Amino acid sequence: MRERFARAMSAMYREEVPQYGTLLDIVEEVNRRTLQAGEGPSTLPSDERARLDVERHGAIRLGSARELGLLRRMFAILGMRPVGYYDLSVAGVPVHSTAFRPILPEALARNPFRLFTSLLRLELIQDPALRALAARHLEAREIFTPEALHLTEEFEARGGFRPEQAEAFVQELVQTFKWHARSTVSADTYRRLHEAHRLVADVVCFPGPHINHLTPRVLDIDAVQQEMPRRGIAAKEIIEGPPRRKVPILLRQTSFKALAETVRFDEAGAPTGSHTARFGEVEQRGIALTPKGRALYDDLLNQVNAGGAPADPRAYEARLRQVFEAFPDDLETIRRQGLGYFEYSRLPGAKPAASADGDLEALLAAGAVRARPIVYEDFLPVSAAGIFQSNLGDAARQAYAAADARVAFERALGCEVLDEFALYESQQAASIQRCLGMPGDALVEDQP
Ligand code: OOG
Ligand code: NI
């Protein structure tokens, strides 16, 4: 069902935003060239190659606790669970977010579709009258079809779907993420909300949480960054995340700017408006970092940004590369220093000495065990803020008091978000146990 849902979303978005189709074409070409040249990053084993052509992430923005709670139940049906908590208010964006995604390695290998899901923080709208107005509009809307709501209850009551219900559920759920050019508020209300924050207008003034981008995974993001302007696509100035390296770490992202779209208002005689929300993005994924590796990454990125953003993207890139020389760039050092997560597996044929029994490092040295990097499946708050800004415009950056709103977020969600580090850690630990011949510790249970 997740596979079908991801495919339906991609078909819909391709129709709505033709540049997304162009981007997919560029990515396909770059991936083919990279693989042919034998330059695929060392983090791309065959099971990942298989998922590469279907791999996407997308993003939506919700308006109320009820919407988030219902969506959590619906995505559980597709095998997607909320992982990670991202507070974007520290970057001047009035939302907090999680990523719905599959969590088991075999589910990720099948189809890793992820949806970065943000919830608007109405309390960050300063004007009380405007805040109340926004709340009223959000309360009055229903973003799910009656059939999607009904089928969700059916699924939960019976613990499953008949085949035709599964197909119907996917079709109904996709409706929620459609673009609507007609605003649900008056031109004047739209203008006021837009002035409060462009993101507030984007969430409050429409019938539903339109999908705002879908992102394919590319093996050489620098090649796509160069190709976009050649095809008439206005690319973001810099690639977010770490610099280009031999061993890709975490996540690198770039996007093209949001399109200005016509918005219609219901009242007679109102002129049409213009709204920017939907854009395109590409990502390159690398190895998942341990808390130690992540602390080093965050520290280096802070150093890069400490002197303020350099005006020139080339200067930024040079500084990024130079500062990141402090992050080891070969897999073995990353592994030995405990900076990244690995999946260990036994290799058939090798006959290690008996003394190597139960000793992972000795088994590795004897060639009886292989370590493969685990791919990072999540997002990065600083990068996400950069992606938000690129399609909102820099004027949308505002200062908010940093308050921990996580408790409220999880209450709305109806559960706690899963800890990404715990997921990678348990995958690595289970693989080590299998190699050492102990009964593999059960991975995280996959229950809705
Ligand atoms: C989400 C931006 C974050 C990413 O890839 O980091 C994101 C949004 O604009 O709604 O998608
Ligand atoms: Ni994205």
Short mmCIF file of all heavy atoms in Angstrom, two decimals, residues 57-61 88 95 97 116-118 199 202 212-213 215 251 253 277 279 281 283 285 378-381 383-389 391-392, ligand 1:
data_model
loop_
_atom_site.label_atom_id
_atom_site.label_comp_id
_atom_site.label_asym_id
_atom_site.label_seq_id
_atom_site.Cartn_x
_atom_site.Cartn_y
_atom_site.Cartn_z
N HIS A 57 11.01 11.45 -0.96
CA HIS A 57 10.37 11.97 0.25
C HIS A 57 9.55 13.19 -0.16
O HIS A 57 9.79 13.78 -1.21
CB HIS A 57 11.37 12.30 1.37
CG HIS A 57 11.96 13.68 1.31
ND1 HIS A 57 13.28 13.92 1.04
CD2 HIS A 57 11.41 14.90 1.51
CE1 HIS A 57 13.52 15.21 1.06
NE2 HIS A 57 12.40 15.85 1.34
N GLY A 58 8.55 13.50 0.65
CA GLY A 58 7.72 14.65 0.36
C GLY A 58 7.51 15.46 1.62
O GLY A 58 8.04 15.10 2.69
N ALA A 59 6.77 16.56 1.52
CA ALA A 59 6.48 17.34 2.72
C ALA A 59 5.09 17.96 2.66
O ALA A 59 4.62 18.35 1.60
CB ALA A 59 7.53 18.43 2.92
N ILE A 60 4.48 18.02 3.83
CA ILE A 60 3.17 18.67 3.98
C ILE A 60 3.17 19.47 5.29
O ILE A 60 4.03 19.26 6.16
CB ILE A 60 2.01 17.65 4.04
CG1 ILE A 60 2.27 16.62 5.15
CG2 ILE A 60 1.83 16.97 2.69
CD1 ILE A 60 1.01 15.97 5.63
N ARG A 61 2.21 20.37 5.39
CA ARG A 61 2.09 21.20 6.60
C ARG A 61 0.64 21.16 7.08
O ARG A 61 -0.27 21.52 6.33
CB ARG A 61 2.48 22.64 6.26
CG ARG A 61 3.89 22.74 5.70
CD ARG A 61 4.03 23.89 4.75
NE ARG A 61 5.37 23.94 4.16
CZ ARG A 61 5.73 24.84 3.24
NH1 ARG A 61 4.88 25.76 2.84
NH2 ARG A 61 6.94 24.79 2.75
N LEU A 88 11.43 23.77 14.22
CA LEU A 88 11.89 24.73 13.21
C LEU A 88 11.74 26.17 13.67
O LEU A 88 12.19 27.08 13.00
CB LEU A 88 11.10 24.52 11.91
CG LEU A 88 11.56 23.44 10.91
CD1 LEU A 88 13.00 23.68 10.48
CD2 LEU A 88 11.40 22.04 11.44
N VAL A 95 6.71 26.29 12.85
CA VAL A 95 6.19 24.92 12.82
C VAL A 95 7.11 24.00 13.62
O VAL A 95 8.26 24.35 13.88
CB VAL A 95 6.11 24.35 11.38
CG1 VAL A 95 5.25 25.20 10.47
CG2 VAL A 95 7.49 24.16 10.77
N SER A 97 7.93 19.54 13.57
CA SER A 97 7.72 18.51 12.56
C SER A 97 8.21 17.14 13.01
O SER A 97 8.99 17.02 13.96
CB SER A 97 8.48 18.86 11.28
OG SER A 97 8.42 20.24 11.00
N PHE A 116 7.81 14.34 5.37
CA PHE A 116 8.18 15.32 6.40
C PHE A 116 6.91 16.10 6.71
O PHE A 116 6.35 16.77 5.85
CB PHE A 116 9.28 16.23 5.84
CG PHE A 116 9.93 17.10 6.89
CD1 PHE A 116 11.02 16.65 7.60
CD2 PHE A 116 9.45 18.38 7.16
CE1 PHE A 116 11.62 17.44 8.57
CE2 PHE A 116 10.05 19.17 8.13
CZ PHE A 116 11.14 18.70 8.83
N THR A 117 6.43 15.98 7.94
CA THR A 117 5.11 16.51 8.28
C THR A 117 5.23 17.56 9.37
O THR A 117 5.70 17.29 10.47
CB THR A 117 4.21 15.35 8.77
OG1 THR A 117 4.12 14.39 7.71
CG2 THR A 117 2.83 15.85 9.12
N SER A 118 4.81 18.77 9.01
CA SER A 118 4.92 19.88 9.95
C SER A 118 3.56 20.26 10.49
O SER A 118 2.55 20.13 9.80
CB SER A 118 5.53 21.11 9.25
OG SER A 118 6.80 20.78 8.74
N LEU A 199 4.01 31.23 5.64
CA LEU A 199 3.68 29.84 5.95
C LEU A 199 2.29 29.72 6.57
O LEU A 199 1.56 28.75 6.35
CB LEU A 199 4.72 29.31 6.92
CG LEU A 199 4.82 27.82 6.97
CD1 LEU A 199 5.52 27.31 5.73
CD2 LEU A 199 5.62 27.41 8.20
N ASP A 202 -0.14 29.75 3.88
CA ASP A 202 -0.09 28.50 3.13
C ASP A 202 -0.88 27.40 3.82
O ASP A 202 -1.52 26.57 3.18
CB ASP A 202 1.37 28.05 2.96
CG ASP A 202 1.48 26.80 2.10
OD1 ASP A 202 0.96 26.83 0.96
OD2 ASP A 202 2.06 25.81 2.56
N ASN A 212 3.89 19.80 -0.91
CA ASN A 212 4.63 20.96 -1.42
C ASN A 212 5.92 20.61 -2.14
O ASN A 212 6.51 21.44 -2.81
CB ASN A 212 4.83 22.02 -0.34
CG ASN A 212 5.75 21.55 0.79
OD1 ASN A 212 6.79 20.97 0.55
ND2 ASN A 212 5.35 21.84 2.02
N HIS A 213 6.40 19.39 -2.01
CA HIS A 213 7.46 18.90 -2.90
C HIS A 213 7.59 17.40 -2.76
O HIS A 213 7.17 16.82 -1.77
CB HIS A 213 8.81 19.57 -2.63
CG HIS A 213 9.42 19.28 -1.29
ND1 HIS A 213 8.97 19.84 -0.12
CD2 HIS A 213 10.47 18.49 -0.93
CE1 HIS A 213 9.71 19.42 0.90
NE2 HIS A 213 10.63 18.59 0.43
N THR A 215 10.76 14.54 -3.47
CA THR A 215 12.21 14.58 -3.66
C THR A 215 12.78 13.23 -4.04
O THR A 215 12.74 12.29 -3.24
CB THR A 215 12.85 15.05 -2.34
OG1 THR A 215 12.30 16.32 -2.01
CG2 THR A 215 14.36 15.17 -2.46
N LEU A 251 22.97 13.72 4.84
CA LEU A 251 22.05 14.11 3.79
C LEU A 251 22.49 15.43 3.18
O LEU A 251 22.81 16.38 3.91
CB LEU A 251 20.68 14.29 4.47
CG LEU A 251 19.47 14.69 3.69
CD1 LEU A 251 19.16 13.68 2.61
CD2 LEU A 251 18.28 14.82 4.63
N GLN A 253 21.07 18.32 0.33
CA GLN A 253 19.81 18.65 -0.33
C GLN A 253 19.92 19.97 -1.09
O GLN A 253 20.56 20.90 -0.64
CB GLN A 253 18.71 18.85 0.72
CG GLN A 253 18.37 17.62 1.52
CD GLN A 253 17.61 17.98 2.79
OE1 GLN A 253 18.22 18.40 3.76
NE2 GLN A 253 16.31 17.83 2.77
N ALA A 277 4.27 28.12 -3.00
CA ALA A 277 4.32 27.04 -2.01
C ALA A 277 5.03 25.82 -2.55
O ALA A 277 5.77 25.15 -1.83
CB ALA A 277 2.92 26.63 -1.59
N PHE A 279 7.46 23.40 -4.74
CA PHE A 279 8.79 23.46 -5.32
C PHE A 279 9.31 22.05 -5.58
O PHE A 279 8.59 21.07 -5.44
CB PHE A 279 9.72 24.25 -4.41
CG PHE A 279 9.89 23.69 -3.02
CD1 PHE A 279 11.04 23.01 -2.67
CD2 PHE A 279 8.89 23.84 -2.06
CE1 PHE A 279 11.21 22.49 -1.38
CE2 PHE A 279 9.04 23.32 -0.78
CZ PHE A 279 10.21 22.65 -0.44
N GLU A 281 12.87 19.36 -5.12
CA GLU A 281 14.07 19.18 -4.32
C GLU A 281 14.74 17.88 -4.73
O GLU A 281 14.06 16.97 -5.22
CB GLU A 281 13.65 19.12 -2.84
CG GLU A 281 14.79 19.02 -1.85
CD GLU A 281 14.33 18.59 -0.45
OE1 GLU A 281 13.19 18.14 -0.28
OE2 GLU A 281 15.14 18.69 0.46
N GLU A 283 17.91 15.05 -3.23
CA GLU A 283 18.71 14.74 -2.05
C GLU A 283 19.74 13.67 -2.40
O GLU A 283 19.52 12.85 -3.28
CB GLU A 283 17.81 14.23 -0.91
CG GLU A 283 17.11 12.92 -1.27
CD GLU A 283 16.19 12.39 -0.16
OE1 GLU A 283 15.85 13.16 0.75
OE2 GLU A 283 15.84 11.21 -0.24
N ARG A 285 21.90 10.83 -0.16
CA ARG A 285 21.98 10.28 1.19
C ARG A 285 23.29 9.54 1.42
O ARG A 285 23.83 8.92 0.51
CB ARG A 285 20.79 9.35 1.46
CG ARG A 285 19.49 10.14 1.55
CD ARG A 285 18.28 9.35 2.00
NE ARG A 285 17.18 10.30 2.16
CZ ARG A 285 16.85 10.88 3.32
NH1 ARG A 285 17.50 10.55 4.43
NH2 ARG A 285 15.87 11.76 3.38
N ASP A 378 16.70 9.89 7.69
CA ASP A 378 15.96 10.98 8.32
C ASP A 378 16.31 12.34 7.72
O ASP A 378 16.79 12.42 6.61
CB ASP A 378 16.17 10.90 9.84
CG ASP A 378 15.54 9.62 10.39
OD1 ASP A 378 14.31 9.56 10.48
OD2 ASP A 378 16.29 8.66 10.65
N PHE A 379 16.07 13.39 8.50
CA PHE A 379 16.24 14.75 8.00
C PHE A 379 17.16 15.53 8.93
O PHE A 379 17.54 15.04 9.99
CB PHE A 379 14.86 15.42 7.88
CG PHE A 379 13.99 14.75 6.86
CD1 PHE A 379 13.22 13.65 7.20
CD2 PHE A 379 13.99 15.17 5.53
CE1 PHE A 379 12.45 13.00 6.24
CE2 PHE A 379 13.23 14.53 4.57
CZ PHE A 379 12.45 13.44 4.93
N LEU A 380 17.50 16.76 8.51
CA LEU A 380 18.39 17.59 9.33
C LEU A 380 17.71 18.93 9.57
O LEU A 380 17.31 19.60 8.61
CB LEU A 380 19.71 17.80 8.58
CG LEU A 380 20.52 16.53 8.32
CD1 LEU A 380 21.64 16.80 7.33
CD2 LEU A 380 21.06 15.97 9.62
N PRO A 381 17.58 19.33 10.82
CA PRO A 381 16.82 20.56 11.10
C PRO A 381 17.40 21.81 10.43
O PRO A 381 16.63 22.61 9.88
CB PRO A 381 16.86 20.69 12.62
CG PRO A 381 17.77 19.62 13.13
CD PRO A 381 18.00 18.64 12.04
N SER A 383 19.20 22.00 7.72
CA SER A 383 18.95 21.88 6.28
C SER A 383 17.48 22.12 5.97
O SER A 383 17.14 22.81 5.00
CB SER A 383 19.34 20.49 5.78
OG SER A 383 20.70 20.24 5.97
N ALA A 384 16.61 21.54 6.79
CA ALA A 384 15.16 21.71 6.56
C ALA A 384 14.80 23.19 6.62
O ALA A 384 14.04 23.68 5.79
CB ALA A 384 14.36 20.92 7.59
N ALA A 385 15.41 23.90 7.58
CA ALA A 385 15.14 25.34 7.69
C ALA A 385 15.58 26.04 6.40
O ALA A 385 14.86 26.91 5.88
CB ALA A 385 15.87 25.93 8.89
N GLY A 386 16.71 25.63 5.85
CA GLY A 386 17.21 26.21 4.60
C GLY A 386 16.27 25.93 3.44
O GLY A 386 16.05 26.78 2.58
N ILE A 387 15.69 24.72 3.43
CA ILE A 387 14.76 24.35 2.37
C ILE A 387 13.46 25.16 2.52
O ILE A 387 12.93 25.70 1.54
CB ILE A 387 14.46 22.83 2.40
CG1 ILE A 387 15.73 22.01 2.12
CG2 ILE A 387 13.35 22.46 1.43
CD1 ILE A 387 16.25 22.07 0.69
N PHE A 388 12.96 25.28 3.73
CA PHE A 388 11.77 26.12 3.98
C PHE A 388 12.03 27.53 3.46
O PHE A 388 11.24 28.08 2.72
CB PHE A 388 11.48 26.23 5.49
CG PHE A 388 10.49 25.24 6.03
CD1 PHE A 388 10.90 24.16 6.80
CD2 PHE A 388 9.13 25.40 5.80
CE1 PHE A 388 9.98 23.26 7.33
CE2 PHE A 388 8.21 24.51 6.33
CZ PHE A 388 8.63 23.44 7.10
N GLN A 389 13.18 28.10 3.87
CA GLN A 389 13.48 29.50 3.51
C GLN A 389 13.52 29.67 2.00
O GLN A 389 13.09 30.68 1.48
CB GLN A 389 14.82 29.96 4.10
CG GLN A 389 14.91 29.94 5.61
CD GLN A 389 13.85 30.79 6.30
OE1 GLN A 389 13.13 31.55 5.66
NE2 GLN A 389 13.73 30.64 7.60
N ASN A 391 11.87 28.45 -0.28
CA ASN A 391 10.62 28.62 -1.01
C ASN A 391 9.70 29.63 -0.33
O ASN A 391 8.65 29.96 -0.86
CB ASN A 391 9.92 27.28 -1.26
CG ASN A 391 9.27 26.71 -0.04
OD1 ASN A 391 8.14 27.03 0.28
ND2 ASN A 391 9.98 25.86 0.68
N LEU A 392 10.08 30.16 0.80
CA LEU A 392 9.28 31.20 1.44
C LEU A 392 9.85 32.57 1.17
O LEU A 392 9.18 33.58 1.28
CB LEU A 392 9.23 30.98 2.96
CG LEU A 392 8.48 29.76 3.45
CD1 LEU A 392 8.72 29.55 4.93
CD2 LEU A 392 7.01 29.87 3.15
C1 OOG B 1 9.49 21.04 4.55
C2 OOG B 1 10.92 21.42 4.40
C3 OOG B 1 11.84 20.34 4.95
C4 OOG B 1 13.47 18.65 3.95
O1 OOG B 1 13.73 17.89 3.02
O2 OOG B 1 14.31 18.97 4.81
C5 OOG B 1 12.12 19.25 4.00
C6 OOG B 1 8.52 22.06 4.02
O3 OOG B 1 8.91 23.00 3.31
O4 OOG B 1 7.32 21.89 4.32
O5 OOG B 1 11.32 18.78 3.24
#
